[in-house]
Amino acid sequence: MRTKVAIIGACPSGLLLGQLLLKAGIDNVIIERQNPDYVLGRIRAGVLEQGTVDLLRQAGVAERMDCEGLVHDGFALAFDGSNEHIDLKGLTNGKTVMVYGQTEVTRDLMEARSSSAGITYYNATNVQPKDIKSTAPYITFDHDGTTVRLDCDYIAGCDGFHGVSRKTIPDGVLKEFERVYPFGWLGVLADTPPVSAELIYASHERGFALCSMRSPTRTRYYIQVPSDEKVEAWSDDRFWQELKKRLPAETADRLITGPSIEKSIAPLRSFVVEPMQYGALFLLGDAAHIVPPTGAKGLNLAASDVSTLSRILVKVYQEGRTDLLERYSEVCLRRIWKAVRFSWWMTSILHRFPGNDDFAQRIKQAELDYFVRSEAGRRTIAENYVGLPYEEIDK
Ligand code: APR
Ligand code: PHB
């Protein structure tokens, strides 16, 4: 079998890339290890930057998002017992974010894919990119008891942090950058009305907390927990009690609790590899970088990589501009590092770090207080939160 672009991974980045390429008449095949129900069962983040929203619209998969998604003009930073509003819209010349779950984005993309001409192999095992440094790369994988060979021009590695794509690149080519944070987030999903119309990011001496939502009737709350914490140690009741202690009193009083429908602990890390291309293989999204969820950047960075690669591939196939391929990595990384910085910074000012002495703690509190009370500080937060602009690929 032959295609122009072979895409490994059918999560948001692979599906979105496939959709944008199909729209431009560039045929592609997606190869995914899991089945669709498994992919849709993963609970992920839920804040879309304007650029991601625009890209989903451009891909023609925004109809349900535009109906059901919640446009947020701002969010709150809670500390010292009160909520401080960050007016995203007012501080960024009218930019906003959209609260719409990543699972729903994936569902919409899967529906569009299944009604398109694009081929997708689910339950593909032993996926192996081959001859990636040559002009005739291919992928082999096992499917329904047979081994399939897929010849292609380019391979898009959209297979997440644990995928095979990054590992295919020979030792010594990639440079890795990493920070592992000494805590995780315990998250609870519940069918309860949100405590506030806006997201609340709370810094408290007992640790960080976040009040988020999926819809007017479904909430997603998180609290910072030690890295080695076990989810079994947290009954619903214990979770709600702890969350309330970390919120301003007037917010805690309004919190409506209920049975959890999902509860899990996620570790926090920052991770980047450079470069994001090796021969015919391009890395996108979590395959190339991980950010802590504090700035809501994970899915949005995957979307900006997709935007960059799809714009380059369109120029390659429509105008023969193969010279642009080698710009992919540098264009992506310039934006990625700024989001890595912002996510790291939001994490560092809002969490309690075990081992920090009192001086370090006071400095963090002063930093948060300064940024929130200063117009310049609030604007900096807002500009990064709504998402920095996408770079032109052909300046
Ligand atoms: N072969 C085929 N598919 C694979 C393989 C493999 N060897 N390894 C992983 N996959 C699939 C996974 O099953 C998954 O469906 O690749 C997909 C990777 O998806 P994600 O981990 O969601 O990565 P990405 O698409 O880059 O999503 C970006 O947004 O909210 C953020 O960080 C969060 O993961 C999220 C990210
Ligand atoms: C979420 O809704 O899951 C969410 C929202 C904002 C974040 C992280 C997660 O920064």
Side-chain angles (χ1 to χ4, degrees):
M1 196 184 8
R2 187 172 172 88
T3 190
K4 289 195 170 82
V5 183
I7 299 173
I8 307 177
C11 234
S13 54
L15 288 162
L16 182 54
L17 178 68
Q19 197 60 24
L20 288 164
L21 294 180
L22 284 183
K23 283 222 136 200
I26 302 169
D27 70 82
N28 58 83
V29 171
I30 302 183
I31 309 160
E32 164 62 48
R33 184 167 57 177
Q34 307 289 351
N35 63 54
D37 288 341
Y38 179 93
V39 172
L40 288 175
R42 292 186 281 223
I43 307 294
R44 293 273 179 75
V47 177
L48 310 181
E49 294 173 351
Q50 187 68 55
T52 307
V53 167
D54 292 344
L55 199 62
L56 291 166
R57 288 185 183 141
Q58 192 191 322
V61 293
E63 203 178 314
R64 201 161 62 93
M65 176 192 75
D66 280 326
C67 277
E68 297 175 17
L70 308 169
V71 175
H72 281 214
D73 293 351
F75 68 92
L77 286 171
F79 58 100
D80 294 344
S82 61
N83 289 305
E84 301 297 333
H85 178 63
I86 304 292
D87 176 11
L88 294 174
K89 196 173 186 175
L91 290 161
T92 63
N93 274 328
K95 293 199 182 121
T96 56
V97 293
M98 173 88 84
V99 172
Y100 187 64
Q102 179 174 329
T103 313
E104 303 312 311
V105 172
T106 308
R107 193 188 308 279
D108 297 343
L109 284 162
M110 277 184 177
E111 263 169 38
R113 181 83 186 173
S114 63
S115 54
S116 77
I119 296 171
T120 312
Y121 287 93
Y122 284 99
N123 300 307
T125 54
N126 196 21
V127 178
Q128 289 183 30
K130 302 256 175 69
D131 288 357
I132 54 176
K133 196 65 175 158
S134 79
T135 51
Y138 64 100
I139 297 182
T140 58
F141 57 96
D142 297 335
H143 189 259
D144 268 353
T146 52
T147 300
V148 181
R149 175 181 166 132
L150 175 64
D151 291 281
C152 56
D153 300 333
Y154 304 106
I155 300 172
C158 303
D159 48 352
F161 182 68
H162 300 287
V164 64
S165 300
R166 192 179 68 252
K167 292 178 195 138
T168 308
I169 298 174
D171 287 351
V173 172
L174 298 180
K175 183 164 167 57
E176 296 186 357
F177 302 81
E178 188 171 40
R179 273 281 174 285
V180 175
Y181 301 88
F183 39 73
W185 279 16
L186 168 63
V188 159
L189 191 68
D191 278 329
T192 53
V195 65
S196 141
E198 296 190 334
L199 269 61
I200 302 173
Y201 291 78
S203 166
H204 190 274
E205 64 184 29
R206 299 181 66 89
F208 170 78
L210 169 61
C211 304
S212 182
M213 66 195 75
R214 290 291 174 275
S215 75
T217 57
R218 180 166 284 189
T219 46
R220 182 73 167 155
Y221 293 108
Y222 299 93
I223 55 171
Q224 172 187 351
V225 292
S227 296
D228 56 359
E229 194 71 355
K230 296 274 174 290
V231 71
E232 299 75 41
W234 288 85
S235 64
D236 287 359
D237 191 49
R238 182 177 175 208
F239 177 85
W240 295 121
Q241 293 306 324
E242 185 61 34
L243 176 63
K244 283 185 182 179
K245 287 182 190 156
R246 299 183 187 189
L247 299 174
E250 54 99 16
T251 307
D253 289 346
R254 278 188 287 116
L255 185 81
I256 298 175
T257 64
S260 65
I261 47 179
E262 198 264 357
K263 198 189 285 160
S264 53
I265 295 181
L268 268 69
R269 79 162 80 201
S270 303
F271 173 85
V272 182
V273 290
E274 292 182 359
M276 289 167 59
Q277 178 200 359
Y278 179 73
L281 173 65
F282 296 81
L283 301 177
L284 296 90
D286 281 15
H289 42 76
I290 299 280
V291 287
T294 325
K297 293 289 171 233
L299 171 61
N300 293 301
L301 280 184
S304 64
D305 295 347
V306 167
S307 167
T308 305
L309 188 59
S310 65
R311 283 179 288 142
I312 290 176
L313 288 175
V314 167
K315 286 202 178 261
V316 167
Y317 285 107
Q318 291 181 354
E319 300 169 25
R321 293 289 307 277
T322 47
D323 61 300
L324 294 175
L325 291 165
E326 66 189 34
R327 296 209 54 213
Y328 171 73
S329 190
E330 63 183 75
V331 170
C332 288
L333 284 164
R334 260 194 293 276
R335 188 171 190 279
I336 287 161
W337 272 112
K338 291 180 193 112
V340 169
R341 185 208 68 80
F342 179 64
S343 306
W344 162 85
W345 182 76
M346 287 278 277
T347 303
S348 81
I349 56 160
L350 294 172
H351 290 73
R352 296 289 145 148
F353 282 67
N356 257 8
D357 62 13
D358 292 346
F359 180 86
Q361 186 49 44
R362 284 287 185 275
I363 292 288
K364 293 281 174 215
Q365 285 168 247
E367 193 173 2
L368 176 59
D369 198 47
Y370 163 70
F371 266 82
V372 170
R373 313 269 171 235
S374 137
E375 152 97 22
R378 284 201 306 278
R379 198 179 294 280
T380 297
I381 293 173
E383 183 175 63
N384 283 276
Y385 195 85
V386 299
L388 297 174
Y390 291 2
E391 199 177 300
E392 297 275 322
I393 48 154
D394 190 18
K395 282 186 290 192

